[in-house]
Amino acid sequence: MTTLDIITIALFSLGVVLVGLAFSRKGKSMQSFFAANGTMPWYMSGLSLFMGFFSAGTFVVWGSIAYSMGWVSITIQWTMAIAGFIVGVLIAPKWQQTGALTAAEYINKRLGESTQKIYTYLFLFIAVFLTASFLYPVAKILEVSTGLPLNTCILLLGGLCVLYVSAGGLWAVISTDVLQFVILTAAVIIVVPLSFDKIDGVTALIEKVPDTFYNLLNDEYTFGFLVAFGIYNTIFLGGNWAYVQRYTCVRTQQDSRKVGYLFGALYIISPILWMLPPMIYRVHDPSLSTLDAEGAYLMMCKEVLPNGLLGLMIGGMIFATTSALNSKLNIASGVITNDIFRNLRPKSSDRTLMYVARTSTILFGIFSILIAMLIPKMGGVVNVVISLAALTGVPLYLPIVWTLFSKRQTSTSNLTTTLLSLAVNGFFKFITPLMGFSLNRAEEMILGVTFPIVCLAIFEIYYIVKRKESDKYQSYLAWNKENNARKLKEIEENESAEKAGNNFSKRVIGYGIFFSGAGIAILGGMADTGQTLIITTGVVFALLGLLMTRNTKVKSTMR
């Protein structure tokens, strides 16, 4: 990397932080800080959901599969598109209908306080390690790219994220997600054509690859694996507490559906754009080992991107990955404030609750930073943490999602399913390999998905036969009706202020996109190759940013 690339990363980082800090005055209440008062535009929430699902692993893990196996890497990611549409149709409107501030609040009202506490502590325990596991690989990319010490990179990235998430809350998280989406999209749009130029066009990508390169499936990634992985993604997308925020922060059930639909649509298109560079690199250099293939995407970027643009791509990858980290910081703070502290001090003022919200964000962030700094001394803990995330996703989230559709499921059925599934998954992941028996990738995924489903189905059938309804269900319905009426009243009372707030958000994002586009155009003018493509891309995005700022000004004037 050149000095210009490092300067680009630094300026990009500063811009993202400034956009986040611009919302420091919006988070004045719990509803605003954690749910944007329920008035977040659906397309912003959808883009944020998309970026929150994204990580550096998209380019590293799937990029490695794209280089080695080809199109199957895109097929795997298309299961995420199907998951998005299913969530949009079925799950997202159910979450929006609950009127809960967090998933933990819903659990409290639907299954009881003791059940909520168990799920809350499980979630927080897993979340702090997952947050660290997101932070570590991103810091590793920054270390390799800039030469800065790893711990310095962890502190810088972790500190920046904690700074603007604690200041602006959900508005800061979602607005920076939108900006990061635009910048990453611009960078990918530039990389793909330049990559094709490197191998003399599309024909080479068709003719100079193995015969199986465009197979939709293969022996390792079978149809059974894809079905199980699709179900897993649906449950994870529909039940992860950080993603639930994206469905509850919009105004209506129809808006929550659009959040899921937008996610699904983006995951039809984006995997093709993301996987083309490592697939093209297979033609450029077919000699990479399995381990080296993990860097195929970045190697292609280094081959084709001029000075400055490589920094933009790496910066986009880094901050796109931190989007997931930011979401976890915000929801963890929401759980601590709303579902732990507020239960202990129910008469706390908004000012006290906001102080706790910001303080808990900072403390949770510091704890995650410390764990991330310890990862190199723990020996392979990142892989263990990622495995734990896969093992815990369905057992932790499916039982709660099931209660959205069933009045019969109880705290007993939910906790039994969760704890038993965790035990079974852990047994086959960590114990049976010591006995000489282990599951392959497809079998592990199928077991992790089907066992909790079977458990819940057995409970459901038993309750139907016994004609039993959860003893908490009627009290939940009464709370739900009262809570939604209160939320609707608050939205109507604050409608003009919230429209002004939405316009402010769009204006801030618009300026961010404008300056990013202008920066890309300037870098294009300094480039040795691809000047026309880079300058055009920069100008288009700069004009898009200006259009956003002008539209919000016109609407403000009309009112």
Side-chain angles (χ1 to χ4, degrees):
M1 279 183 61
T2 65
T3 303
L4 184 58
D5 289 312
I6 294 173
I7 292 172
T8 302
I9 292 176
L11 290 176
F12 178 51
S13 303
L14 178 63
V16 170
V17 172
L18 289 176
V19 167
L21 290 177
F23 295 92
S24 59
R25 294 185 179 181
K26 288 184 71 67
K28 295 180 178 179
S29 67
M30 290 274 288
Q31 192 68 26
S32 174
F33 196 80
F34 296 119
N37 285 326
T39 59
M40 182 68 68
W42 66 265
Y43 51 87
M44 288 179 62
S45 191
L47 289 176
S48 178
L49 178 65
F50 176 76
M51 293 305 292
F53 209 74
F54 175 92
S55 74
T58 301
F59 294 123
V60 177
V61 178
W62 305 131
S64 174
I65 296 172
Y67 175 90
S68 304
M69 303 179 183
W71 195 269
V72 70
S73 63
I74 296 171
T75 307
I76 294 169
Q77 292 178 79
W78 275 345
T79 65
M80 301 171 192
I82 296 171
F85 289 121
I86 293 173
V87 168
V89 172
L90 298 175
I91 302 175
K94 287 287 186 179
W95 276 118
Q96 203 280 338
Q97 188 181 28
T98 66
L101 186 64
T102 64
E105 183 178 31
Y106 165 77
I107 295 170
N108 186 321
K109 302 302 180 182
R110 175 64 180 80
L111 298 172
E113 186 176 346
S114 59
T115 305
Q116 177 242 321
K117 286 181 179 179
I118 294 172
Y119 275 109
T120 295
Y121 295 140
L122 275 173
F123 170 79
L124 289 176
F125 176 76
I126 295 168
V128 72
F129 284 96
L130 284 179
T131 304
S133 75
F134 275 112
L135 179 57
Y136 177 80
V138 182
K140 193 70 178 176
I141 293 174
L142 188 61
E143 178 204 23
V144 172
S145 304
T146 64
L148 290 171
L150 178 60
N151 283 349
T152 302
C153 296
I154 291 172
L155 285 170
L156 280 173
L157 289 172
L160 290 176
C161 292
V162 169
L163 178 64
Y164 68 77
V165 174
S166 62
L170 189 61
W171 272 109
V173 172
I174 289 184
S175 297
T176 53
D177 284 350
V178 174
L179 177 60
Q180 290 156 17
F181 168 81
V182 171
I183 293 172
L184 187 65
T185 300
V188 172
I189 287 172
I190 293 169
V191 168
V192 171
L194 293 180
S195 299
F196 275 117
D197 286 345
K198 194 71 177 178
I199 61 168
D200 299 324
V202 178
T203 304
L205 185 59
I206 297 173
E207 297 178 349
K208 297 181 180 180
V209 294
D211 294 338
T212 59
F213 207 64
Y214 291 101
N215 289 355
L216 295 178
L217 304 170
N218 60 26
D219 293 339
E220 185 173 359
Y221 297 100
T222 63
F223 181 74
F225 170 85
L226 290 179
V227 171
F229 193 56
I231 295 172
Y232 168 83
N233 281 318
T234 302
I235 295 166
F236 193 76
L237 188 65
N240 186 297
W241 293 12
Y243 304 149
V244 168
Q245 272 185 307
R246 304 304 182 266
Y247 315 131
T248 59
C249 71
V250 295
R251 183 183 288 266
T252 66
Q253 291 183 49
Q254 186 59 34
D255 283 348
S256 69
R257 288 190 178 95
K258 292 177 183 177
V259 171
Y261 298 157
L262 179 57
F263 177 94
L266 289 172
Y267 253 107
I268 292 175
I269 302 166
S270 58
I272 300 174
L273 294 176
W274 289 340
M275 295 302 104
L276 277 174
M279 290 169 70
I280 293 169
Y281 198 77
R282 174 67 179 263
V283 177
H284 178 69
D285 180 5
S287 64
L288 296 184
S289 66
T290 302
L291 185 61
D292 291 337
E294 292 181 352
Y297 190 96
L298 275 177
M299 291 177 190
M300 192 74 253
C301 291
K302 288 179 179 179
E303 286 283 341
V304 302
L305 288 177
N307 292 346
L309 266 298
L310 179 60
L312 181 74
M313 171 57 79
I314 291 173
M317 288 174 63
I318 289 170
F319 274 92
T321 303
T322 59
S323 170
L325 188 155
N326 298 336
S327 296
K328 284 178 172 53
L329 282 176
N330 186 253
I331 189 59
S333 172
V335 170
I336 292 168
T337 307
N338 188 64
D339 305 302
I340 297 178
F341 181 83
R342 201 176 196 177
N343 284 337
L344 296 174
R345 301 282 185 86
K347 296 182 179 180
S348 298
S349 65
D350 278 344
R351 183 175 180 179
T352 300
L353 291 172
M354 289 310 303
Y355 175 78
V356 173
R358 291 192 164 97
T359 303
S360 60
T361 302
I362 294 169
L363 292 176
F364 191 85
I366 291 172
F367 196 30
S368 298
I369 289 170
L370 292 174
I371 292 175
M373 293 172 72
L374 291 172
I375 280 176
K377 298 180 181 179
M378 295 181 184
V381 72
V382 174
N383 290 328
V384 173
V385 169
I386 292 172
S387 295
L388 284 173
L391 292 171
T392 59
V394 178
L396 194 61
Y397 302 130
L398 175 62
I400 306 306
V401 170
W402 196 296
T403 65
L404 295 171
F405 300 90
S406 171
K407 62 183 180 180
R408 298 179 179 87
Q409 295 292 333
T410 65
S411 59
T412 300
S413 64
N414 270 236
L415 287 174
T416 300
T417 299
T418 294
L419 297 176
L420 189 58
S421 299
L422 289 174
V424 169
N425 287 350
F427 178 76
F428 281 99
K429 180 67 178 179
F430 301 111
I431 305 300
T432 58
L434 301 177
M435 305 173 183
F437 173 76
S438 60
L439 302 177
N440 62 33
R441 194 188 304 271
E443 291 168 342
E444 190 176 272
M445 181 62 67
I446 291 169
L447 173 67
V449 168
T450 56
F451 188 83
I453 292 175
V454 170
C455 288
L456 289 167
I458 290 172
F459 275 114
E460 189 75 22
I461 293 169
Y462 173 78
Y463 290 144
I464 290 173
V465 171
K466 293 292 184 178
R467 297 183 179 180
K468 182 178 179 180
E469 180 182 284
S470 170
D471 57 355
K472 297 283 185 183
Y473 188 70
Q474 292 302 321
S475 62
Y476 160 72
L477 289 180
W479 171 83
N480 177 257
K481 183 177 180 180
E482 181 182 339
N483 190 49
N484 276 311
R486 177 185 56 78
K487 276 185 63 179
L488 182 62
K489 183 179 179 181
E490 288 177 356
I491 290 173
E492 290 173 350
E493 289 175 350
N494 300 315
E495 186 171 4
S496 60
E498 290 307 322
K499 285 183 178 179
N502 286 345
N503 283 337
F504 172 77
S505 175
K506 294 172 190 175
R507 203 155 51 242
V508 170
I509 294 170
Y511 282 124
I513 295 172
F514 168 75
F515 285 114
S516 299
I520 292 171
I522 292 170
L523 291 172
M526 301 165 63
D528 298 326
T529 57
Q531 279 190 334
T532 302
L533 171 66
I534 298 168
I535 292 173
T536 302
T537 302
V539 169
V540 168
F541 278 94
L543 291 175
L544 175 65
L546 276 180
L547 183 64
M548 286 183 66
T549 60
R550 288 185 64 83
N551 279 347
T552 55
K553 288 179 180 178
V554 169
K555 288 178 181 178
S556 297
T557 303
M558 290 175 63
R559 281 197 295 273

